[in-house]
Amino acid sequence: MRKLFTSIMKEIIVLTRDLGGLLIIFLMPMVLVFVMAMIQDSTFRKMDETQLQVAFINEDRDSVGLAIEEGLNHSDMIILEKEYDNKPLDRESLIRLVGDGTFQIGIIVPAGVSQNLRKKAMYLVEKAFEDEEYPVVMVETEPSLVILYFDPVIKHSFRETVRMALSKLTYGIESQMVFKLFSQKVSELLDTDNSLDYDPSGIIQLEEHNAVNSRTEVIPNSVQHNVPAWAVFAMFFILIPLTANIIKERNNGSMLRIRLMPGSYLVTIFSKIIVYLFISMIQFLLMLLVGILILPLFGLPLLEIGDHIFALIVMIMATGLAATAFGLALGSIFNTPEQAAAFGSVSVIIMAALGGIWVPVFVMPSIMQTISTFSPLNWGLEGFYTIFLRGGGIIGILPQVALLLAFCLVCMIVAFYFLRLKKN
Amino acid sequence: MTDIAIKIENISKTYRGSLVPAVDDITLDIPRGVKYGLLGPNGAGKTTTISILTGLLNYDSGKVFINGMQLEKKYKKIRQQIGLVPQDIALYDTLSARENLRFIAEMYGLKGKELHNRIEECLEMVGLAGNGRKQIRRYSGGMKRRVNLVAGILHRPDILILDEPTTGVDVQSRKMILEFLEEINKQGTTIIYTSHYLEEAEDLCDTIAIIDDGKLIIHGNTREIIKSKEEYTSLESVFLHLTGRKLRD
């Protein structure tokens, strides 16, 4: 135990006197989180909460036009604009402004739509109570059109969203009008003053929940993605100082000397694992603090870390162990710190790209989403997503923890195999 | 305890991927208390032999006994009795000399006052007591060599194996190192020493072995070997006669 403590203290002193290593370990990831969260913020907002600029002309100025305007104004996704450059929009300017991308969508409610709808509704009611002696005659009316213009580059999903919203609104208005006229007609026939109100929001309501443990439901914001993502990346990047440490120790003969000391070889290896694991935990803590304390100062969302602190600690340790073991394996395979650093950094960057660190997995093509499940960085990130976004606890992260520990075990076996090979 | 510090019986070692053995059937007895020079040109097999003796390298065949104990069977005990001074500066350059020595001493199980006294004694012996707090990277080559040297004797081994301990040091440091080796030898430590400086080896070593291409060419008392033939005027002339003048890689 005393030897382990001695070896740990030695590792800590060596590390704290390596300014370059400290910068790589602590400062670089914090800067990365900050920069990437800032850069990707608008992209995430587009995916998650983009508001569409909709040009709107209400020529109807009657119940249909007013109901559509009110309905769209209530939508979180839509910003309704009736003016541009302090001038009211007309049809010509609306088409031009949507065409040049100033607005993504243009909506025109032509004059007389309400009147036409009312006539058709009246016809339907009268038809229902038709007296054979006095047949109801359909009055010729203009078709009740609401005209939509789309920016050609707008995503299909946005078109569908607006189309659905408008359909819902117009169905509601139609139903409300028909129901009201029916109600009036029935009151008239029964000679009562009772009339029924119709709630256009419908009788069947939708109850919405976020499905816990569902991979596809979770769309994080920039902070919720970038903080854990770059923290995992940074944890794996400790392989650069770690491999340099191992290879230098081996090349300068210190490891020979250590191997001659009774019971010191394994102690030295384990002391490295303990120290670098501890460092990875501090790294993660610092990244969390950036997400909680610094990023909100720059207008970014606050990092939510969920309620499962124990699961978070387990997840950090599993990721840290995987990263440390990877560094240990590379340090035992390569002969120079330069080789190890070059291979190590490129491999981490590739695993990061595949694992959804740079670009979230949910925006990747399906084949890449499948490939991403083979990246240890993805296992780490998914585990943190589970805790931060899905409200998952220790059970929720078990698959990722198991994968990371298995990776750690494989790396350890590789490390000891190569250390033994080099002995011979 | 036997009078033979190290007994090597027919050891051979061929590295993976090599067709030529690095050590080829060497048999050798190194008496206790000698200053033994293990000499040979580059690639002769000196470092391989040292690595085998310290248990750091597995060998293919033969037997090695250290202080009468077979290497593989009693390795835990044996390695406490061996000190190694590697060819490279096997120290942490961002630690001070004292911190380096403290780490090594603690890993050898020293503690308390004994640990403190041993470190101070060692620094004193190599004239570095006043510079013990300096980081190794700020030392000159000679100072580094001296710390590297005492790092091998902190645990007071019976056998000290040195792989070219004076390479690249100034005359003063070299003299100091050689005097230091004489001194610890007088205290009973068996010295096994490799070097390319044959004059230095001739002065220091009372017994030598010359190996080339992994084979033992000659071994015995240094003076007797030099006197054994008329054409041998110095250890260097013995060396050149036996190993030739062909350049080695």
Side-chain angles (χ1 to χ4, degrees):
Chain A
M1 206 60 192
R2 190 182 159 79
K3 283 185 181 180
L4 184 64
F5 178 75
T6 300
S7 193
I8 287 173
M9 289 312 293
K10 183 266 291 176
E11 291 294 341
I12 291 172
I13 297 172
V14 168
L15 200 68
T16 52
R17 290 182 187 167
D18 175 10
L19 189 62
L22 287 178
L23 288 177
I24 288 175
I25 289 171
F26 295 118
L27 191 63
M28 184 200 76
M30 288 168 74
V31 173
L32 260 178
V33 163
F34 180 77
V35 171
M36 296 307 289
M38 295 294 282
I39 289 172
Q40 293 192 354
D41 186 49
S42 62
T43 312
F44 274 90
R45 280 184 203 273
K46 271 181 191 150
M47 283 187 285
D48 189 28
E49 54 193 42
T50 297
Q51 290 187 305
L52 292 166
Q53 298 271 333
V54 176
F56 183 73
I57 300 173
N58 181 6
E59 294 171 349
D60 180 52
R61 297 176 194 279
D62 199 345
S63 50
V64 173
L66 294 173
I68 289 175
E69 188 176 338
E70 194 190 337
L72 294 179
N73 267 327
H74 277 96
S75 168
D76 293 335
M77 277 193 71
I78 290 170
I79 301 172
L80 219 53
E81 299 286 355
K82 294 166 77 177
E83 291 182 344
Y84 184 73
D85 267 351
N86 295 322
K87 287 178 197 159
L89 291 164
D90 55 29
R91 286 191 178 219
E92 192 186 334
S93 62
L94 180 141
I95 294 167
R96 179 172 47 79
L97 290 168
V98 173
D100 68 15
T102 307
F103 295 103
Q104 284 95 54
I105 296 168
I107 300 173
I108 300 168
V109 185
V113 170
S114 299
Q115 194 57 34
N116 292 340
L117 177 63
R118 208 170 284 121
K119 282 177 186 168
K120 280 182 184 167
M122 186 63 82
Y123 168 75
L124 287 172
V125 172
E126 292 293 339
K127 190 78 180 162
F129 296 97
E130 189 178 36
D131 188 334
E132 283 180 6
E133 289 179 23
Y134 305 102
V136 179
V137 181
M138 173 67 188
V139 184
E140 282 298 315
T141 57
E142 296 279 318
S144 299
L145 294 175
V146 174
I147 305 163
L148 299 177
Y149 289 94
F150 290 106
D151 178 356
V153 300
I154 195 173
K155 282 167 74 174
H156 181 69
S157 57
F158 288 148
R159 283 180 186 235
E160 279 305 303
T161 306
V162 171
R163 200 178 285 145
M164 292 289 287
L166 274 175
S167 296
K168 190 182 168 198
L169 281 170
T170 52
Y171 287 142
I173 297 160
E174 275 180 40
S175 307
Q176 192 175 26
M177 195 172 277
V178 170
F179 189 89
K180 193 175 173 184
L181 290 171
F182 259 109
S183 172
Q184 282 172 358
K185 187 74 183 174
V186 170
S187 300
E188 195 183 299
L189 291 171
L190 297 175
D191 196 21
T192 66
D193 291 334
N194 294 340
S195 66
L196 294 171
D197 282 331
Y198 174 78
D199 179 2
S201 61
I203 295 164
I204 298 171
Q205 302 290 316
L206 302 178
E207 188 180 283
E208 295 180 24
H209 297 283
N210 283 324
V212 175
N213 295 330
S214 162
R215 193 180 158 93
T216 50
E217 282 289 320
V218 179
I219 298 181
N221 62 40
S222 163
V223 172
Q224 295 293 115
H225 168 73
N226 278 300
V227 172
W230 294 105
V232 170
F233 181 78
M235 286 162 105
F236 273 81
F237 238 79
I238 59 169
L239 69 87
I240 291 182
L242 176 58
T243 52
N245 173 310
I246 294 167
I247 294 169
K248 259 166 91 176
E249 210 166 55
R250 193 173 62 231
N251 290 354
N252 77 2
S254 297
M255 199 40 100
L256 282 185
R257 188 169 262 157
I258 287 166
R259 275 165 52 188
L260 255 183
M261 299 168 185
S264 300
Y265 183 56
L266 281 179
V267 164
T268 305
I269 300 288
F270 281 117
S271 70
K272 287 184 198 302
I273 293 171
I274 291 168
V275 168
Y276 280 85
L277 177 62
F278 183 65
I279 284 169
S280 64
M281 295 180 80
I282 297 176
Q283 270 183 327
F284 203 91
L285 187 69
L286 287 174
M287 306 287 252
L288 290 187
L289 291 177
V290 170
I292 293 167
L293 300 176
I294 297 177
L295 293 178
L297 298 177
F298 292 85
L300 271 69
L302 178 80
L303 176 72
E304 305 279 349
I305 62 166
D307 302 322
H308 298 277
I309 301 302
F310 178 67
L312 181 59
I313 293 168
V314 170
M315 198 61 222
I316 295 170
M317 288 183 77
T319 312
L321 273 172
T324 308
F326 187 51
L328 204 64
L330 295 188
S332 62
I333 292 169
F334 290 101
N335 293 322
T336 67
E338 291 78 17
Q339 286 174 343
F343 180 88
S345 52
V346 172
S347 62
V348 170
I349 288 168
I350 291 171
M351 287 195 293
L354 292 176
I357 304 293
W358 296 55
V359 178
V361 171
F362 56 80
V363 297
M364 290 181 185
S366 65
I367 177 77
M368 295 313 290
Q369 291 195 14
T370 307
I371 291 171
S372 78
T373 57
F374 293 98
S375 165
L377 278 80
N378 177 259
W379 306 333
L381 184 57
E382 277 298 321
F384 291 117
Y385 272 0
T386 299
I387 298 166
F388 291 176
L389 300 169
R390 298 177 186 125
I394 196 79
I395 302 292
I397 60 165
L398 272 183
Q400 283 81 28
V401 170
L403 283 168
L404 287 165
L405 292 182
F407 178 75
C408 169
L409 187 68
V410 170
C411 288
M412 292 280 198
I413 291 169
V414 170
F416 282 104
Y417 172 76
F418 275 93
L419 289 171
R420 202 175 176 80
L421 192 73
K422 289 201 166 141
K423 190 184 168 190
N424 292 314
Chain B
M1 213 183 260
T2 163
D3 286 340
I4 303 296
I6 296 175
K7 188 176 183 62
I8 300 171
E9 287 180 3
N10 309 103
I11 58 162
S12 293
K13 168 72 185 176
T14 304
Y15 285 104
R16 201 185 294 257
S18 172
L19 297 173
V20 185
V23 171
D24 191 2
D25 198 28
I26 286 182
T27 296
L28 202 61
D29 284 351
I30 301 178
R32 183 174 310 287
V34 295
K35 290 168 283 180
Y36 199 95
L38 193 59
L39 309 173
N42 284 341
K46 302 186 296 292
T47 301
T48 303
T49 306
I50 283 177
S51 300
I52 289 172
L53 295 183
T54 49
L56 298 173
L57 186 66
N58 295 332
Y59 48 96
D60 304 331
S61 59
K63 282 180 182 167
V64 176
F65 296 89
I66 310 281
N67 287 335
M69 296 175 285
Q70 195 172 342
L71 188 64
E72 300 80 18
K73 291 183 179 167
K74 298 274 182 185
Y75 185 54
K76 275 188 182 172
K77 204 170 173 188
I78 285 171
R79 58 183 172 176
Q80 190 76 33
Q81 298 174 6
I82 295 177
L84 174 68
V85 178
Q87 190 174 352
D88 297 308
I89 307 294
L91 300 166
Y92 298 94
D93 58 4
T94 50
L95 300 190
S96 69
R98 237 183 220 101
E99 286 166 341
N100 267 289
L101 296 180
R102 185 178 190 88
F103 167 66
I104 294 165
E106 285 186 352
M107 294 304 269
Y108 269 113
L110 298 178
K111 51 188 169 184
K113 208 167 178 180
E114 189 191 11
L115 175 130
H116 177 262
N117 291 344
R118 199 73 68 82
I119 291 169
E120 293 310 314
E121 187 186 309
C122 282
L123 286 171
E124 193 72 45
M125 283 162 85
V126 290
L128 290 170
N131 286 308
R133 286 179 192 279
K134 247 190 195 175
Q135 286 183 28
I136 291 294
R137 62 181 167 171
R138 305 200 191 287
Y139 275 18
S140 68
M143 290 162 87
K144 286 179 186 174
R145 283 269 164 219
R146 284 183 266 157
V147 182
N148 200 36
L149 179 65
V150 289
I153 59 144
L154 270 169
H155 61 296
R156 295 204 170 138
D158 292 333
I159 300 163
L160 180 63
I161 300 173
L162 305 106
D163 196 359
E164 302 186 22
T166 56
T167 303
V169 301
D170 60 16
V171 177
Q172 286 81 2
S173 285
R174 178 175 296 179
K175 192 166 183 320
M176 204 243 99
I177 289 170
L178 295 176
E179 284 171 1
F180 173 82
L181 294 178
E182 292 278 6
E183 181 56 35
I184 61 165
N185 179 249
K186 273 182 202 159
Q187 292 167 14
T189 308
T190 304
I191 308 274
I192 296 161
Y193 165 93
T194 76
S195 179
H196 287 296
Y197 302 116
L198 295 177
E199 205 176 311
E200 183 182 296
E202 189 178 331
D203 287 345
L204 178 73
C205 302
D206 40 40
T207 317
I208 59 149
I210 296 176
I211 55 175
D212 195 13
D213 292 332
K215 290 190 174 70
L216 180 66
I217 300 175
I218 194 168
H219 74 110
N221 182 281
T222 313
R223 302 281 152 231
E224 285 173 10
I225 289 173
I226 294 170
K227 283 180 190 165
S228 65
K229 283 191 180 175
E230 260 183 38
E231 59 264 41
Y232 294 167
T233 53
S234 64
L235 185 56
E236 188 172 301
S237 69
V238 176
F239 188 88
L240 286 172
H241 264 94
L242 295 173
T243 61
R245 289 177 180 271
K246 191 181 149 200
L247 294 177
R248 309 302 173 95
D249 295 327

